Structure formats: C-alpha cells, structure tokens
Amino acid sequence: MAIDRRREAAGSGAGRQPAPAEENGSLPPGDAAASAPLGGRAGSGGSAEIQPLPALHPSGGPHSSCCAAAAAPSLLLLDYDGSVLPFLGGLGGGYQKTLVVLTWIPALFIGFSQFSDSFLLDQPNFWCRGAGKGTELAGSTVTGRWGDMGNWTSPPATPFSTAAWGAASNRSNNSDTPPLPSPPGKGNNDSNCDCHAWDYGIRTGLVQNVVSKWDLVCDNAWKVHIAKFSLLVGLIFGYLITGCIADWVGRRPVLLFSIIFILIFGLTVALSVNVTMFSTLRFFEGFCLAGVILTLYALRIELCPPGKRFMIAMVASFVAMAGQFLMPGLAALCRDWQVLQALIICPFLLMLLYWSIFPESLRWLMATQQFEAAKKLILYITQKNCVSPESDIKGVMPELEKELSRRPKKVCIVKVVGTRNLWKNIVVLCVNSLTGYGIHHCFARSMMGHEVKVPLLENFYADYYTMASIALASCLAMCVVVRFLGRRGGLLLFMILTALASLLQLGLLNLIGKYSQHPDSGMSDSVKDKFSIAFSIVGMFASHAVGSLSVFFCAEITPTVIRCGGLGLVLASAGFGMLTAPIIELHNQKGYFLHHIIFACCTLICIICILLLPESRDQNLPENIANGEHYTRQPLLPHKKGEQPLLLTNAELKDYSGLHDVAAVGDGLPEGATANGMKSM
C-alpha cells in the first residue's frame, strides 16, 4: 500500500521540490557519478555481480549531470577490482604474489614483539636473600608481617592472551598468596616490606628479567603494571595517529618510517638504566609497532582480489601465532631480558630492504586520483609480470591517459562524521572489538585465576600454551565458519557464543556455588571449577574470534581513501579493551566482577548491532566514501523471486523515511538488486 502511494505521488507531484543535494552525509553533485556502484564481477563462479543503478535526474535539468560527469573521474578507473586488478593479472601475477609474501614475513617478528611482555615482565617467585630457596612459601597462605616471615612468594598475575596483533601478558594467579601491594600512598603495605634484598626464581626460562633487574616487588610491584600500560597506550596512540597519516601520505612512507623508529626505540629499550626509562621507551616502541601492524594489514587487503582476502589475512595471523609458540624457546635461548629484547627487534632490520622492493599501494593511488604515479606503477607491474598490452580489453590505460592532469584528492577519517551509513558501520565494529578483547581477560582470569585450582594450570608454560592453543583453535574455526556463513554471520555466531558463555558463567556458577553449600545437594566446588573452566574456554575461543573478525570486517567495508584511519579506530578500541586487564591488576583485582558484568551486557548490545552491518563476502572493496555509503545491510536470507525488498534503494537513501520523490525509479532496477546495488547471494 505504501509503495503504491509513493508511486502515485511520484507520478503526479511534478511541482514538488527535490531533496537537498547535500543533507547529512548525502553526496554533492560533483561526486554523484562516483557514488554509483561499479561494474564488473567481484569474484569468480558464484560471486555476486555489482549492478549499476539508473542515473537520477533531478528537476534541475541536465546541467547537474554534466557537472557531475566533469567532476568525477572515469568509473572504469575507480573499479579497481573489476578492471585494473584483472589487467595486472590478479593475484596470479608473480609480482603480486611476492608482495603478499613480503607482508607475511614480518608477522613473525610482530608476534615476538606482541608477546614479549609475558617474559620481560613476568612476576617471578622471590624470597628474602639469606632465607634460602627451600623456605619459599609457594602456594601457601602468608599471615602476619612479611618482614617477620623472612620470605614471601609473589603472586603471578593472570594470563592474558590477545589476538595476533595485540600486546599480551600471560601470567598465572594464585589466591593462596597475598595480593600485590598498592602504589605508594594507596595502602598500608609500606611498613611491611622489611626485606630489602631478594633472590628470584624466574619461571620463563630467563636468568634475569625486568622485575628482578630493578626489584619491582613489594612496594614497587605497581611499576610492572605501568610498564604494561606503556606498550598498550603506545599501540593505541599509534593506531590512531599512523592510520590518519597513512591515508594522507601513503602506506609505504608510514611503514618505512615506523620500521626505522622501532629499530631505534626497540634497541634502546634493551639499554634502559631504570624502569622509568624502560616504560617510556616501550611507549614509543608500541607506537611504531602499531604503524607496522596497521600498514601491513592494509597493504595485504588492498593487494588481493575479493575471493582471496580472508585467506591472505588468516595466513598472516597464523604466522604471528608461530611467533607466539616460538617465544618460550627464544627466551630460553637468550637467558637475559636485554638479549631477548635485542633479538626480538633486530629482525626488523631486514624490513629496511622494503624501501627498494615494496611499492606504494596502487589501489590507494587510484582511489586518491594520483594517476601520474599510478601509471608509472602499472607499467612497472606489467613489465614484472610480462603482461601483454592486448590483455587490457577494457581500456584501462587509455582512460588513465585522459585523467593524468587531475589533481589528487585525499580524504581524512573525520569525513565519516558527515556520512549516514559508514560511520555507523565503523562504530559498531569498534564496540565489537572493544567488547571482544575486554571480555577475553575476564574468561582468562576465570580459568587461570584464583577461583579455579587446577595443578596443571599453575605452571607458566601450561598457562602460556593453553592460551596460544585456544587462539589457534579460534582462528581455525573462523576459517570454516566465515567460509559458510560469511563475515556478518560468522561475527554474529561468535558473539552469541561469547554472550552465552559469559551469562552462564555469571549466573549458573553462582547458582552452583549456592547449592554446593548444602551437603545433600550433590554439588561440590570441584563441579563448579569444571563448569568454570568449560565456560572460560568457550568464552576465550569465541571472544578471540570476535576481536579478530571485527578488525578484518572493518578493513573490507571501509573505503580505500580512509581504510587505515578506520582500521586504526577499530584496533585502538581493541587496545582499550585489553587495557582493562592491567588496570584491574593494578587495583588488586578490585571491581573484577563488575568488569565482567559490564562486558557481558555489551555482548548483548553487540548482537543487535551486528544485524545492522552489511555482508562484504566476495564484494569489491569500496574505493571512496561514496562507494562506502552504498554498503548498507541486507537481510540474512535472500528474498524470494518477485518479492518486493523491504530495504531502502540507493535512490531512497537521501531520505530517512524512504518516501522520496524518485521512488518510482525503483521500478527500473535490475531483478535481484539489493540496497548495495548487488545481486543477492
């Protein structure tokens, strides 16, 4: 009924004024041509085909269309996946394969840096010098004044596993040992530290680490958490700042300068003379590491055709996990934390060669209309791949010659504020990554924390490899689930699993604990511990997938001109989620239960928000903000043939109500077109 009324109104309302050209993110006339979906197939076989929508002619006459055509570059040049990439040979070209492999190799070095905190800052067992190691009270309750006992065993912190790009700090916790002292002035522990010389039993294969080097125990234990903050905060600021810079000056300069400075700051960390210098330099090391991670991720995505993007990204994740698994052996080989830090950073020297062998992203050059540099790079790639000029059946090079005089058009991430759909998609993925990595620590603490007493999990290496194995299983499951359910369906499934595991752990375990107090109930603490471990494993498994998939999803739906900025926002949100772990540890685990409840509520909100996201599987990457605006949500199930779609068409996106004057244009849409201008999958 409503559709018929709209058609009648469109047919009889000749005198009605059209909607404004620019309204809350709608596109100016000069970008109207660029906003049309591009031609060409996104993939092979059963992949979706992007259909061009009919051009809209407002009442202003043909002058607006002429201006739009003059202001926008050729649609053929903006259709990178459909025109330019096939001309270069796709991923089958030898040069492109070499570049993809070059983005995989540094993932191993990144994996070393990400998980170095687990070894450099691990809280060792320690006792007062002269008391003897045999009197160490590991695993027993300590009462009275520590100085009167003459020895004390520190409580190792909770293991915390992160994704392949996050900073990790995997350490175990035991409730039978006293909590870490508060910072000076925050508690009454200052008078209890009568012992001023300590002997250490380091569990990570090192003879000396940062804690034993500067006696970061007792009243100084809080400085360990500050050192953890420094790397995470450096990563957060690095993601935000280098992402914006990479969209403005290019991926290649940011990558190369990040490599140079991570070598400088990373090697200087090994020469630190006190913990203040160590923490400060770790901030800058994290800042530069964020630039390397971000630009490599964007370059990896922009090199690939639609059908290969997820596989290429997952291979890089597996390489980073190989670094996580090899890290204990590397620590045992180095024996000293300074040697370990230097050995982690030195492999980045190999990446200095990227200055001469790694080019700028051709996709970014084309999207920002830097056609002069793009032409030189296309000729270089075709020469490397021995591509014949006859393969340019769509006439990419002739069109490129016509546009050489065009001025570059670069965009900053702040432009998304004026959009209607793009900002919503990025915000949803930011909340997902924040929730996924934030609640991951809750599950890790529940499994390795003080409420579960499993002898196997009190060993550092058992803790570490348990976390790594769960992350590996999560990535393997992602490969299968995303293959069958797509990006949105996979993200929704893993978020539902995370929410269920969290709610069951918060509700069911409290119920079991209540019944275990009754002798006739048949419940015991061991039953509660087993359920807690089971829910924690499922929660860590699912939350790791949520965080990783949110980052990849953002890389696919964010336009090329602001892809690094969008990725930086999502990765920084993940960093804020991981930052809650050392904050809770710094406050002696106070507020941990509330922490878990808040993130459990966030999972329920995320489940609803995920339904607002589009599906990007086998679709071309959006190149500019106009293309990104066409990525609107589709139904989970395709509509039947002949059934009227309930979602807005591109013509109706200018009006929130969908009652637009040109709604009758929808009659001319190709059969099976969706809100994205693409065939239903």
Side-chain angles (χ1 to χ4, degrees):
M1 299 294 293
I3 297 174
D4 294 336
R5 286 196 297 269
R6 285 192 300 171
R7 292 176 178 172
E8 292 173 4
S12 59
R16 185 177 300 176
Q17 295 297 325
E22 295 186 42
E23 179 184 5
N24 192 19
S26 58
L27 303 176
D31 291 338
S35 68
L38 306 176
R41 289 191 174 270
S44 59
S47 59
E49 181 179 0
I50 300 179
Q51 299 286 349
L53 294 178
L56 302 178
H57 300 283
S59 59
H63 178 70
S64 300
S65 300
C66 296
C67 293
S74 170
L75 295 180
L76 183 68
L77 299 180
L78 294 179
D79 184 17
Y80 188 89
D81 286 315
S83 302
V84 181
L85 193 58
F87 170 52
L88 300 177
L91 199 59
Y95 186 68
Q96 288 91 315
K97 288 182 179 178
T98 302
L99 295 181
V100 169
V101 173
L102 289 177
T103 65
W104 286 343
I105 295 174
L108 182 66
F109 315 147
I110 293 170
F112 290 148
S113 297
Q114 289 168 345
F115 298 97
S116 60
D117 272 357
S118 304
F119 300 85
L120 299 179
L121 298 172
D122 179 66
Q123 191 77 30
N125 297 325
F126 58 93
W127 55 93
C128 193
R129 185 168 298 170
K133 186 175 181 179
T135 60
E136 178 185 354
L137 300 181
S140 61
T141 305
V142 178
T143 58
R145 292 170 58 91
W146 300 344
D148 296 338
M149 297 295 296
N151 52 48
W152 180 57
T153 301
S154 70
T158 305
F160 177 55
S161 172
T162 64
W165 49 269
S169 57
N170 301 317
R171 305 180 341 181
S172 60
N173 195 316
N174 193 328
S175 66
D176 293 334
T177 53
L180 287 175
S182 302
K186 300 291 184 179
N188 57 358
N189 294 321
D190 300 88
S191 61
N192 293 331
C193 299
D194 295 341
C195 185
H196 301 289
W198 304 93
D199 288 326
Y200 298 92
I202 302 176
R203 310 172 301 150
T204 59
L206 296 173
V207 174
Q208 185 185 63
N209 67 357
V210 174
V211 178
S212 63
K213 171 74 173 179
W214 293 302
D215 292 329
L216 303 182
V217 295
C218 201
D219 292 340
N220 292 323
W222 61 277
K223 296 180 181 179
V224 177
H225 304 301
I226 300 301
K228 288 183 181 180
F229 290 164
S230 63
L231 184 67
L232 282 173
V233 174
L235 283 166
I236 292 171
F237 278 94
Y239 289 136
L240 295 174
I241 295 175
T242 60
C244 296
I245 297 175
D247 286 331
W248 195 258
V249 303
R251 285 77 164 115
R252 183 172 177 262
V254 173
L255 174 63
L256 296 175
F257 278 102
S258 297
I259 293 169
I260 293 172
F261 284 105
I262 197 175
L263 286 169
I264 295 173
F265 291 116
L267 293 176
T268 311
V269 167
L271 304 177
S272 300
V273 297
N274 52 48
V275 68
T276 303
M277 180 179 178
F278 177 86
S279 299
T280 304
L281 292 173
R282 288 283 279 181
F283 169 85
F284 291 106
E285 181 188 350
F287 188 97
C288 300
L289 182 64
V292 176
I293 295 171
L294 185 64
T295 51
L296 285 176
Y297 204 108
L299 286 168
R300 202 177 293 126
I301 294 294
E302 292 173 356
L303 281 169
C304 303
K308 304 293 184 182
R309 288 194 298 259
F310 186 71
M311 181 267 292
I312 297 298
M314 291 309 300
V315 170
S317 297
F318 289 127
V319 174
M321 287 183 187
Q324 181 181 1
F325 278 95
L326 293 175
M327 192 65 190
L330 198 65
L333 181 66
C334 294
R335 305 293 291 171
D336 187 84
W337 75 270
Q338 293 174 306
V339 178
L340 177 63
Q341 172 67 18
L343 192 61
I344 288 172
I345 297 299
C346 282
F348 285 101
L349 285 168
L350 299 175
M351 295 187 67
L352 292 176
L353 298 175
Y354 282 31
W355 182 270
S356 59
I357 62 178
F358 210 101
E360 182 56 84
S361 171
L362 178 60
R363 188 187 294 267
W364 178 77
L365 291 175
M366 299 288 287
T368 53
Q369 302 178 18
Q370 301 181 66
F371 295 124
E372 185 75 34
K375 177 186 175 183
K376 297 178 182 178
L377 185 54
I378 288 176
L379 294 176
Y380 179 77
I381 295 175
T382 54
Q383 181 183 1
K384 285 286 187 179
N385 290 335
C386 300
V387 174
S388 173
E390 286 77 11
S391 62
D392 186 14
I393 57 177
K394 294 190 177 182
V396 173
M397 294 304 294
E399 288 291 335
L400 191 61
E401 293 286 348
K402 299 177 184 178
E403 304 287 349
L404 292 181
S405 60
R406 186 177 295 274
R407 297 182 61 182
K409 186 177 181 180
K410 300 177 181 179
V411 185
C412 184
I413 186 62
V414 296
K415 290 291 185 180
V416 300
V417 177
T419 62
R420 180 173 296 132
N421 296 311
L422 193 55
W423 75 268
K424 173 200 66 180
N425 296 336
I426 294 177
V427 168
V428 169
L429 292 173
C430 285
V431 175
N432 274 270
S433 62
L434 172 67
T435 303
Y437 286 106
I439 203 170
H440 191 279
H441 171 67
C442 299
F443 292 120
R445 175 172 164 75
S446 296
M447 186 172 71
M448 308 289 187
H450 65 271
E451 58 260 25
V452 179
K453 304 174 185 63
V454 182
L456 176 63
L457 299 181
E458 293 177 2
N459 179 273
F460 172 82
Y461 293 105
D463 292 350
Y464 185 86
Y465 282 114
T466 298
M467 298 302 217
S469 299
I470 291 173
L472 178 61
S474 177
C475 288
L476 291 173
M478 282 174 56
C479 297
V480 178
V481 171
V482 173
R483 172 68 179 83
F484 290 100
L485 298 182
R487 279 62 159 155
R488 183 176 62 167
L491 185 59
L492 182 62
L493 175 62
F494 287 119
M495 185 59 79
I496 291 174
L497 289 176
T498 304
L500 287 175
S502 181
L503 295 176
L504 288 173
Q505 191 168 58
L506 290 173
L508 182 60
L509 293 185
N510 287 336
L511 184 63
I512 293 176
K514 183 185 297 183
Y515 279 103
S516 64
Q517 298 177 0
H518 299 284
D520 299 333
S521 63
M523 297 290 183
S524 63
D525 289 339
S526 62
V527 175
K528 180 180 177 181
D529 290 347
K530 291 178 181 178
F531 274 108
S532 180
I533 292 175
F535 294 147
S536 298
I537 291 175
V538 173
M540 288 194 299
F541 170 87
S543 61
H544 182 277
V546 166
S548 300
L549 197 52
S550 297
V551 176
F552 176 76
F553 209 158
C554 177
E556 283 200 318
I557 67 175
T558 306
T560 301
V561 291
I562 56 170
R563 179 163 293 118
C564 285
L567 269 174
L569 289 174
V570 176
L571 288 169
S573 300
F576 277 114
M578 291 185 289
L579 197 60
T580 58
I583 290 176
I584 292 294
E585 292 177 6
L586 180 62
H587 289 84
N588 299 332
Q589 309 298 337
K590 294 179 181 178
Y592 158 73
F593 188 73
L594 180 61
H595 172 142
H596 198 167
I597 290 177
I598 292 174
F599 279 113
C601 295
C602 289
T603 59
L604 301 178
I605 299 174
C606 290
I607 290 173
I608 301 173
C609 293
I610 289 172
L611 298 176
L612 302 176
L613 295 173
E615 176 54 63
S616 59
R617 178 174 60 178
D618 293 331
Q619 304 295 342
N620 292 348
L621 290 177
E623 302 301 335
N624 51 36
I625 293 182
N627 297 147
E629 276 292 274
H630 285 289
Y631 268 93
T632 53
R633 64 185 178 91
Q634 304 94 26
L636 290 175
L637 299 176
H639 61 273
K640 298 179 181 178
K641 186 176 182 180
E643 181 181 352
Q644 179 68 32
L646 299 179
L647 300 178
L648 299 179
T649 63
N650 286 294
E652 298 168 327
L653 286 175
K654 293 183 180 180
D655 192 344
Y656 284 111
S657 66
L659 301 177
H660 194 265
D661 299 323
V662 294
V665 178
D667 295 340
L669 291 176
E671 183 179 352
T674 66
N676 285 351
M678 308 166 189
K679 286 186 177 180
S680 302
M681 299 183 62

